[in-house]
Amino acid sequence: MSVPKEVLERIKRLRDEINYHNYRYYVLDSPVISDEEYDALVHELKELEERYPETITPDSPTQRIGAPPSEKFRTVPHHVPMLSLDDAFTEEEIIEFEMRIKRFLGIDQELEYTLEPKMDGLAVELVYEKGIFVLGSTRGDGYNGEDVTNNLRTIPSIPLKLLSHNIPIPELLEVRGEVYMEKKAFERLNREREEKGLPTFANPRNAAAGSLRQLDPKVTASRPLKIFCYGIGRVVGHEFKTQWELLNTLKKWGLRVNPLIKKVRGIKKAIKYHEELSRLRTELDYEIDGMVIKVNDLSLQERLGAKAKSPRWAIAYKFEAAQSVTRIKDILLSVGRTGAITPVAIMEPVKVGGVTVSRATLHNEDEIRKKDIRIGDYVIVRRAGDVIPEVVKPLKERRTGNEKVFVMPKTCPVCGSPLVKKEGEAIYRCPNPDCFPRLSKKIAHFVSKPAMDIEGLGPKVVEQLITAGIIRDIPDLYQIKKEDLLSLEGFAEKSAENLLNAIENSKETTLSRFLFAIGIRHVGEVTAQLISKHFKSLKRIMEASQEELEEIPGIGPEVAKSIYEFFHDEKNRMLIKRLLDAGIKIKDEVKEKKALPLEGKRFVFTGALNTLKRSEAKRIVTELGGEVQSTVGKKTDFVVVGENPGSKFEKAKKLGVRTISEDEFLEMIK
Ligand code: IVH
């Protein structure tokens, strides 16, 4: 039975229409009919194809899914090798790139470049014969890839048939592009997998790669993959002059091209656009890891040629990684305003998205258990939403066996109260209402203007520092690192440096400021000044008795008691020790003179000394607080007897004054 002509025509028309609407929807992102209208067209086509199965061709829009699973992917060659790109990270490297090109071409005029977002997915090649998609493969080693045609067919933004749009379809077209998964789709997929107890993907790139390399195309079809095309292999039946024209022609043929592509003259403008893209990047639905700069003129590209693995006419100007690998050194607890206890991973500092990161919230105990994060683990860290660093997952294959499982402490790290957890909640809380506010007030007082005067460290920042687990007591202030501050909202390079300088400068202080800062009950600014003036040294204040303190005019018994008790509390003595160890120097402190070893002792020398000259011996005695006499008297303490002593030796014996040898003297002054 032959198919009626009208049916054939209708089928052709339906296919063309559906292809066009696919293009509007998936490639241009601007549909011109409703979903219902579209569904009706597909429905009609399906019915006709069912009635007349002999009309079904592989490029029919109904034929995306349905190929049976394969056992193994066939290897297919790339006729034009799929090269990779050289990476550059700095402006200098980009300027260098341009100089290299100009040198190579022997020209000096400004060049034109196309700028394209560098997609973070996986490269594929699509082969179109007479406009029909016949073969699709992965990049593989660049020379041979895997035949993933049936999987690529399931990706809606890959046309099964090219559109002509007034530009004749070439006899043969090999298109290159990047298959990727959008960030939201990736998160949804991971959530679903988690619910099913399946392993999750580390990032959208891995999810895209894993989805495309499925033996069963049905699985690939269920994964929301997309493509952006950026280049070509062999082309028969069409000539391009520039990369810009190429990209725009691909678009016209119905292939999806990134809308953020740009053409510029001069490398400076390329550098500018890179800055723009790096800012835009977090707002995009998909991940990009840099910008590709390509010489626009294809004849120049040809002259420039390629090195072994990468072309000379293009470079990948990378952004700083938004995801990196580092090691967890420890897991500490931070206390929030409401008493919520959050475990924080303390990591070896690593750059993530241009910022050095050394700590990341682990949310709660359940989360740590679920992700199986252990102390000592190598982990993937990511800056989610561009601010808060997050531990994505541990790299279990890098474990040595020395990693430690985190055990949630039972008590608050700040006040020691036993922690509580409500039924059904994941977070532990400190039930002590004084805990966080007391700590934050104590620290805010310490850093305030009349105290240690740390500029830029107001109560809000203090709270941020405690909540992030960066500080837990006053001395921790002096351990803050730049990367700690950069992990807080509102801190940038400059503001972080300013605060660190202010903290450093506060180390040199006065006795009264320090005394006021440490927060002794009843000791305000004036009292602190009175005590400081009187005792002139921290050590003496710490050793003073209650009575001695009370003797200071203006200090009553209650204040004296409070000071005395403060300094006799081991916790406070420890606090002071830690502060002094951190490098706090009290400028106006009068150090107590240390008793000199020979203080008040009188010496007489007689006879020749072996090791010292008489004059040296005299100087040493005086420096050590002693006195040298010329004659022996009753008050003489020591007579130092050298070789061939004279009458002084006799006199000493007579008066019963102690005589010592030169060696004994040397021992005394050691
Ligand atoms: S051009 C010879 N353009 O980056 C030119 N590549 O390291 C080679 N990529 O394998 C590629 N976006 O997976 C080019 N706009 C873009 C790209 C892009 C992403 C990937 C592609 C390639 C790798 C090169």
Side-chain angles (χ1 to χ4, degrees), residues 1-26:
M1 187 186 73
S2 73
V3 185
K5 199 163 149 257
E6 317 81 75
V7 172
L8 279 178
E9 271 168 13
R10 180 67 188 151
I11 286 177
K12 179 172 185 311
R13 178 148 188 96
L14 281 169
R15 285 180 186 161
D16 284 349
E17 276 197 36
I18 293 169
N19 280 340
Y20 177 72
H21 292 302
N22 273 343
Y23 166 72
R24 297 291 318 195
Y25 187 88
Y26 292 109

mmCIF file of all heavy atoms in Angstrom, residues 1-26:
data_model
loop_
_atom_site.group_PDB
_atom_site.id
_atom_site.type_symbol
_atom_site.label_atom_id
_atom_site.label_comp_id
_atom_site.label_asym_id
_atom_site.label_seq_id
_atom_site.Cartn_x
_atom_site.Cartn_y
_atom_site.Cartn_z
ATOM 1 N N MET A 1 0.853 -1.186 0.000
ATOM 2 C CA MET A 1 0.000 0.000 0.000
ATOM 3 C C MET A 1 0.894 1.243 0.000
ATOM 4 O O MET A 1 1.786 1.384 0.832
ATOM 5 C CB MET A 1 -0.867 -0.016 1.262
ATOM 6 C CG MET A 1 -1.886 1.087 1.256
ATOM 7 S SD MET A 1 -2.758 1.138 2.857
ATOM 8 C CE MET A 1 -1.507 1.803 3.923
ATOM 9 N N SER A 2 0.663 2.049 -0.995
ATOM 10 C CA SER A 2 1.507 3.243 -1.023
ATOM 11 C C SER A 2 0.846 4.355 -0.202
ATOM 12 O O SER A 2 -0.366 4.374 -0.022
ATOM 13 C CB SER A 2 1.725 3.706 -2.463
ATOM 14 O OG SER A 2 0.544 4.291 -2.941
ATOM 15 N N VAL A 3 1.685 5.254 0.287
ATOM 16 C CA VAL A 3 1.200 6.338 1.147
ATOM 17 C C VAL A 3 0.619 7.452 0.270
ATOM 18 O O VAL A 3 1.284 7.898 -0.670
ATOM 19 C CB VAL A 3 2.359 6.898 2.006
ATOM 20 C CG1 VAL A 3 1.841 7.922 2.985
ATOM 21 C CG2 VAL A 3 3.084 5.759 2.719
ATOM 22 N N PRO A 4 -0.608 7.879 0.566
ATOM 23 C CA PRO A 4 -1.194 8.946 -0.238
ATOM 24 C C PRO A 4 -0.317 10.201 -0.229
ATOM 25 O O PRO A 4 0.329 10.501 0.776
ATOM 26 C CB PRO A 4 -2.532 9.230 0.453
ATOM 27 C CG PRO A 4 -2.780 8.080 1.339
ATOM 28 C CD PRO A 4 -1.482 7.431 1.640
ATOM 29 N N LYS A 5 -0.328 10.871 -1.357
ATOM 30 C CA LYS A 5 0.516 12.045 -1.541
ATOM 31 C C LYS A 5 0.241 13.125 -0.486
ATOM 32 O O LYS A 5 1.166 13.720 0.084
ATOM 33 C CB LYS A 5 0.265 12.621 -2.939
ATOM 34 C CG LYS A 5 1.383 13.520 -3.403
ATOM 35 C CD LYS A 5 1.318 13.748 -4.916
ATOM 36 C CE LYS A 5 1.847 15.105 -5.264
ATOM 37 N NZ LYS A 5 0.844 16.092 -5.563
ATOM 38 N N GLU A 6 -1.073 13.315 -0.201
ATOM 39 C CA GLU A 6 -1.414 14.379 0.766
ATOM 40 C C GLU A 6 -0.834 14.049 2.143
ATOM 41 O O GLU A 6 -0.391 14.931 2.877
ATOM 42 C CB GLU A 6 -2.928 14.563 0.952
ATOM 43 C CG GLU A 6 -3.785 14.534 -0.295
ATOM 44 C CD GLU A 6 -4.079 13.113 -0.733
ATOM 45 O OE1 GLU A 6 -4.918 12.412 -0.119
ATOM 46 O OE2 GLU A 6 -3.425 12.682 -1.717
ATOM 47 N N VAL A 7 -0.850 12.734 2.473
ATOM 48 C CA VAL A 7 -0.306 12.333 3.779
ATOM 49 C C VAL A 7 1.191 12.628 3.823
ATOM 50 O O VAL A 7 1.714 13.206 4.779
ATOM 51 C CB VAL A 7 -0.585 10.838 4.050
ATOM 52 C CG1 VAL A 7 0.132 10.367 5.313
ATOM 53 C CG2 VAL A 7 -2.074 10.591 4.162
ATOM 54 N N LEU A 8 1.880 12.255 2.760
ATOM 55 C CA LEU A 8 3.324 12.533 2.702
ATOM 56 C C LEU A 8 3.602 14.018 2.862
ATOM 57 O O LEU A 8 4.502 14.432 3.594
ATOM 58 C CB LEU A 8 3.900 12.054 1.363
ATOM 59 C CG LEU A 8 4.200 10.564 1.260
ATOM 60 C CD1 LEU A 8 4.713 10.219 -0.144
ATOM 61 C CD2 LEU A 8 5.226 10.142 2.316
ATOM 62 N N GLU A 9 2.788 14.800 2.184
ATOM 63 C CA GLU A 9 2.973 16.258 2.264
ATOM 64 C C GLU A 9 2.697 16.780 3.675
ATOM 65 O O GLU A 9 3.422 17.628 4.205
ATOM 66 C CB GLU A 9 2.069 16.963 1.251
ATOM 67 C CG GLU A 9 2.771 17.108 -0.079
ATOM 68 C CD GLU A 9 1.845 17.521 -1.200
ATOM 69 O OE1 GLU A 9 0.700 17.942 -0.904
ATOM 70 O OE2 GLU A 9 2.258 17.391 -2.365
ATOM 71 N N ARG A 10 1.604 16.215 4.266
ATOM 72 C CA ARG A 10 1.245 16.656 5.619
ATOM 73 C C ARG A 10 2.359 16.286 6.608
ATOM 74 O O ARG A 10 2.746 17.090 7.464
ATOM 75 C CB ARG A 10 -0.080 15.993 6.028
ATOM 76 C CG ARG A 10 -0.576 16.366 7.426
ATOM 77 C CD ARG A 10 -0.967 17.831 7.518
ATOM 78 N NE ARG A 10 -1.254 18.234 8.876
ATOM 79 C CZ ARG A 10 -1.084 19.464 9.336
ATOM 80 N NH1 ARG A 10 -0.657 20.430 8.530
ATOM 81 N NH2 ARG A 10 -1.361 19.759 10.575
ATOM 82 N N ILE A 11 2.861 15.051 6.454
ATOM 83 C CA ILE A 11 3.941 14.600 7.350
ATOM 84 C C ILE A 11 5.154 15.523 7.217
ATOM 85 O O ILE A 11 5.741 15.975 8.206
ATOM 86 C CB ILE A 11 4.321 13.128 7.051
ATOM 87 C CG1 ILE A 11 3.228 12.202 7.595
ATOM 88 C CG2 ILE A 11 5.675 12.763 7.646
ATOM 89 C CD1 ILE A 11 3.431 10.726 7.306
ATOM 90 N N LYS A 12 5.494 15.835 5.992
ATOM 91 C CA LYS A 12 6.657 16.704 5.761
ATOM 92 C C LYS A 12 6.425 18.072 6.414
ATOM 93 O O LYS A 12 7.289 18.623 7.097
ATOM 94 C CB LYS A 12 6.921 16.868 4.271
ATOM 95 C CG LYS A 12 8.121 17.792 4.029
ATOM 96 C CD LYS A 12 8.574 17.855 2.611
ATOM 97 C CE LYS A 12 9.836 18.702 2.466
ATOM 98 N NZ LYS A 12 9.789 19.987 3.101
ATOM 99 N N ARG A 13 5.225 18.573 6.209
ATOM 100 C CA ARG A 13 4.887 19.888 6.733
ATOM 101 C C ARG A 13 4.947 19.885 8.272
ATOM 102 O O ARG A 13 5.517 20.793 8.897
ATOM 103 C CB ARG A 13 3.499 20.268 6.229
ATOM 104 C CG ARG A 13 3.059 21.576 6.740
ATOM 105 C CD ARG A 13 2.172 22.392 5.842
ATOM 106 N NE ARG A 13 2.066 23.677 6.518
ATOM 107 C CZ ARG A 13 2.814 24.701 6.221
ATOM 108 N NH1 ARG A 13 3.665 24.656 5.213
ATOM 109 N NH2 ARG A 13 2.719 25.811 6.915
ATOM 110 N N LEU A 14 4.340 18.810 8.858
ATOM 111 C CA LEU A 14 4.354 18.707 10.326
ATOM 112 C C LEU A 14 5.790 18.663 10.851
ATOM 113 O O LEU A 14 6.140 19.335 11.820
ATOM 114 C CB LEU A 14 3.611 17.440 10.765
ATOM 115 C CG LEU A 14 2.085 17.526 10.761
ATOM 116 C CD1 LEU A 14 1.479 16.133 10.951
ATOM 117 C CD2 LEU A 14 1.589 18.463 11.874
ATOM 118 N N ARG A 15 6.607 17.878 10.185
ATOM 119 C CA ARG A 15 8.006 17.762 10.639
ATOM 120 C C ARG A 15 8.718 19.098 10.558
ATOM 121 O O ARG A 15 9.435 19.499 11.487
ATOM 122 C CB ARG A 15 8.760 16.725 9.799
ATOM 123 C CG ARG A 15 8.369 15.311 10.177
ATOM 124 C CD ARG A 15 9.115 14.299 9.346
ATOM 125 N NE ARG A 15 8.604 12.967 9.650
ATOM 126 C CZ ARG A 15 8.770 11.913 8.867
ATOM 127 N NH1 ARG A 15 9.433 12.029 7.729
ATOM 128 N NH2 ARG A 15 8.283 10.750 9.212
ATOM 129 N N ASP A 16 8.547 19.792 9.464
ATOM 130 C CA ASP A 16 9.198 21.093 9.314
ATOM 131 C C ASP A 16 8.718 22.058 10.394
ATOM 132 O O ASP A 16 9.510 22.789 11.000
ATOM 133 C CB ASP A 16 8.904 21.690 7.928
ATOM 134 C CG ASP A 16 9.727 21.000 6.843
ATOM 135 O OD1 ASP A 16 10.648 20.228 7.220
ATOM 136 O OD2 ASP A 16 9.448 21.203 5.643
ATOM 137 N N GLU A 17 7.415 22.017 10.628
ATOM 138 C CA GLU A 17 6.878 22.938 11.638
ATOM 139 C C GLU A 17 7.419 22.608 13.023
ATOM 140 O O GLU A 17 7.852 23.479 13.771
ATOM 141 C CB GLU A 17 5.346 22.874 11.656
ATOM 142 C CG GLU A 17 4.743 23.777 10.602
ATOM 143 C CD GLU A 17 3.264 24.066 10.854
ATOM 144 O OE1 GLU A 17 2.876 24.187 12.031
ATOM 145 O OE2 GLU A 17 2.525 24.132 9.859
ATOM 146 N N ILE A 18 7.374 21.316 13.344
ATOM 147 C CA ILE A 18 7.868 20.911 14.673
ATOM 148 C C ILE A 18 9.353 21.268 14.811
ATOM 149 O O ILE A 18 9.782 21.803 15.839
ATOM 150 C CB ILE A 18 7.626 19.402 14.913
ATOM 151 C CG1 ILE A 18 6.114 19.147 14.998
ATOM 152 C CG2 ILE A 18 8.327 18.918 16.169
ATOM 153 C CD1 ILE A 18 5.732 17.679 14.958
ATOM 154 N N ASN A 19 10.130 20.995 13.772
ATOM 155 C CA ASN A 19 11.556 21.359 13.813
ATOM 156 C C ASN A 19 11.733 22.850 14.053
ATOM 157 O O ASN A 19 12.572 23.269 14.845
ATOM 158 C CB ASN A 19 12.252 20.980 12.505
ATOM 159 C CG ASN A 19 12.598 19.500 12.482
ATOM 160 O OD1 ASN A 19 12.656 18.858 13.525
ATOM 161 N ND2 ASN A 19 12.800 18.962 11.281
ATOM 162 N N TYR A 20 10.919 23.625 13.374
ATOM 163 C CA TYR A 20 11.025 25.075 13.531
ATOM 164 C C TYR A 20 10.680 25.490 14.962
ATOM 165 O O TYR A 20 11.384 26.281 15.589
ATOM 166 C CB TYR A 20 10.113 25.789 12.521
ATOM 167 C CG TYR A 20 10.137 27.287 12.717
ATOM 168 C CD1 TYR A 20 11.266 28.029 12.364
ATOM 169 C CD2 TYR A 20 9.045 27.957 13.284
ATOM 170 C CE1 TYR A 20 11.313 29.403 12.572
ATOM 171 C CE2 TYR A 20 9.084 29.325 13.488
ATOM 172 C CZ TYR A 20 10.211 30.042 13.131
ATOM 173 O OH TYR A 20 10.270 31.390 13.332
ATOM 174 N N HIS A 21 9.600 24.897 15.512
ATOM 175 C CA HIS A 21 9.203 25.279 16.876
ATOM 176 C C HIS A 21 10.190 24.765 17.920
ATOM 177 O O HIS A 21 10.405 25.421 18.938
ATOM 178 C CB HIS A 21 7.770 24.820 17.163
ATOM 179 C CG HIS A 21 6.768 25.570 16.334
ATOM 180 N ND1 HIS A 21 6.671 26.942 16.380
ATOM 181 C CD2 HIS A 21 5.867 25.155 15.401
ATOM 182 C CE1 HIS A 21 5.741 27.340 15.525
ATOM 183 N NE2 HIS A 21 5.242 26.271 14.909
ATOM 184 N N ASN A 22 10.787 23.615 17.632
ATOM 185 C CA ASN A 22 11.873 23.149 18.509
ATOM 186 C C ASN A 22 12.977 24.185 18.553
ATOM 187 O O ASN A 22 13.516 24.506 19.616
ATOM 188 C CB ASN A 22 12.497 21.858 17.957
ATOM 189 C CG ASN A 22 11.753 20.628 18.450
ATOM 190 O OD1 ASN A 22 10.998 20.697 19.408
ATOM 191 N ND2 ASN A 22 11.961 19.512 17.751
ATOM 192 N N TYR A 23 13.320 24.643 17.377
ATOM 193 C CA TYR A 23 14.383 25.649 17.239
ATOM 194 C C TYR A 23 14.018 26.925 18.015
ATOM 195 O O TYR A 23 14.823 27.451 18.778
ATOM 196 C CB TYR A 23 14.564 25.910 15.747
ATOM 197 C CG TYR A 23 15.373 27.131 15.394
ATOM 198 C CD1 TYR A 23 16.750 27.161 15.594
ATOM 199 C CD2 TYR A 23 14.757 28.245 14.823
ATOM 200 C CE1 TYR A 23 17.488 28.276 15.246
ATOM 201 C CE2 TYR A 23 15.493 29.360 14.469
ATOM 202 C CZ TYR A 23 16.859 29.382 14.690
ATOM 203 O OH TYR A 23 17.588 30.480 14.348
ATOM 204 N N ARG A 24 12.759 27.373 17.841
ATOM 205 C CA ARG A 24 12.323 28.577 18.565
ATOM 206 C C ARG A 24 12.441 28.358 20.073
ATOM 207 O O ARG A 24 12.876 29.233 20.818
ATOM 208 C CB ARG A 24 10.848 28.919 18.256
ATOM 209 C CG ARG A 24 10.511 29.268 16.830
ATOM 210 C CD ARG A 24 11.057 30.567 16.360
ATOM 211 N NE ARG A 24 10.970 31.670 17.286
ATOM 212 C CZ ARG A 24 11.139 32.939 16.934
ATOM 213 N NH1 ARG A 24 11.379 33.264 15.665
ATOM 214 N NH2 ARG A 24 11.081 33.896 17.823
ATOM 215 N N TYR A 25 12.036 27.173 20.499
ATOM 216 C CA TYR A 25 11.953 26.895 21.929
ATOM 217 C C TYR A 25 13.325 26.584 22.533
ATOM 218 O O TYR A 25 13.757 27.209 23.502
ATOM 219 C CB TYR A 25 11.000 25.719 22.162
ATOM 220 C CG TYR A 25 10.699 25.458 23.618
ATOM 221 C CD1 TYR A 25 9.653 26.108 24.260
ATOM 222 C CD2 TYR A 25 11.472 24.557 24.358
ATOM 223 C CE1 TYR A 25 9.382 25.878 25.592
ATOM 224 C CE2 TYR A 25 11.214 24.325 25.695
ATOM 225 C CZ TYR A 25 10.162 24.980 26.315
ATOM 226 O OH TYR A 25 9.904 24.748 27.640
ATOM 227 N N TYR A 26 14.033 25.625 21.955
ATOM 228 C CA TYR A 26 15.263 25.136 22.568
ATOM 229 C C TYR A 26 16.510 25.914 22.172
ATOM 230 O O TYR A 26 17.477 25.962 22.913
ATOM 231 C CB TYR A 26 15.482 23.652 22.229
ATOM 232 C CG TYR A 26 14.473 22.749 22.879
ATOM 233 C CD1 TYR A 26 13.495 22.112 22.122
ATOM 234 C CD2 TYR A 26 14.490 22.550 24.256
ATOM 235 C CE1 TYR A 26 12.559 21.282 22.721
ATOM 236 C CE2 TYR A 26 13.558 21.727 24.864
ATOM 237 C CZ TYR A 26 12.595 21.099 24.101
ATOM 238 O OH TYR A 26 11.676 20.292 24.704
#
